[in-house]
Amino acid sequence: MSMRSIPQKIEKWRIRELALVLSELGELLKSGNNIEWANVFFHFQQEAEIISLKPHFDIDLTNKLVRNIKTCFSSFNSYKNNIPSMDSTGKGVKIIKDFCELKDRLIQLLNKIESLLEEKIH
């Protein structure tokens, strides 16, 4: 039994949601004095916004964006274990908690988009 994949259109609101989550993550990293990674996620946010503004859905750009973001969480990447370094009091604890929640939300969203990009045919 062979399988092939055909692209499936994704609703633009999902890409806009992705842009919002990326923006939130960038702002959080910035507030945790992690400017370099904040800029990476701000760049991803800009790419998501460009995709959402195109008159026709761009599957290739969306695939590339999802892959690039997921690469940040791969085992060989320094970001995987890069939680904002904060003190263990008040603001620092909140930033770390928010960071973990946003990261989980982002990964779930990426997985959903990825699953919608391909429809399996038997």
Side-chain angles (χ1 to χ4, degrees):
M1 169 176 14
S2 67
M3 290 180 59
R4 68 182 183 95
S5 298
I6 60 170
Q8 179 178 331
K9 185 176 179 177
I10 295 174
E11 304 91 339
K12 286 190 176 197
W13 66 263
R14 287 192 197 276
I15 304 302
R16 289 185 194 114
E17 180 183 10
L18 177 61
L20 287 172
V21 172
L22 291 166
S23 174
E24 287 179 51
L25 191 56
E27 289 296 334
L28 190 63
L29 287 164
K30 185 176 167 184
S31 73
N33 295 321
N34 200 330
I35 303 301
E36 291 173 8
W37 276 108
N39 288 335
V40 168
F41 285 95
F42 287 141
H43 174 77
F44 289 149
Q45 172 199 356
Q46 290 174 339
E47 288 185 20
E49 288 171 352
I50 289 168
I51 292 168
S52 75
L53 294 174
K54 286 185 174 272
H56 301 287
F57 186 75
D58 192 321
I59 293 166
D60 293 331
L61 277 179
T62 305
N63 266 323
K64 181 181 173 190
L65 178 60
V66 168
R67 272 193 323 269
N68 288 342
I69 295 169
K70 284 187 136 189
T71 298
C72 291
F73 300 104
S74 66
S75 61
F76 62 85
N77 195 295
S78 64
Y79 180 77
K80 183 178 181 186
N81 297 315
N82 190 9
I83 295 177
S85 56
M86 302 298 296
D87 58 36
S88 59
T89 62
K91 183 181 175 187
V93 170
K94 174 138 178 51
I95 288 175
I96 291 170
K97 179 181 177 282
D98 291 347
F99 172 83
C100 291
E101 289 173 3
L102 269 175
K103 184 174 98 171
D104 289 345
R105 183 173 165 207
L106 176 61
I107 291 170
Q108 288 174 359
L109 183 56
L110 291 171
N111 288 338
K112 180 63 176 177
I113 291 171
E114 198 171 48
S115 73
L116 293 171
L117 280 169
E118 293 187 355
E119 179 182 299
K120 304 292 186 219
I121 298 193
H122 298 278

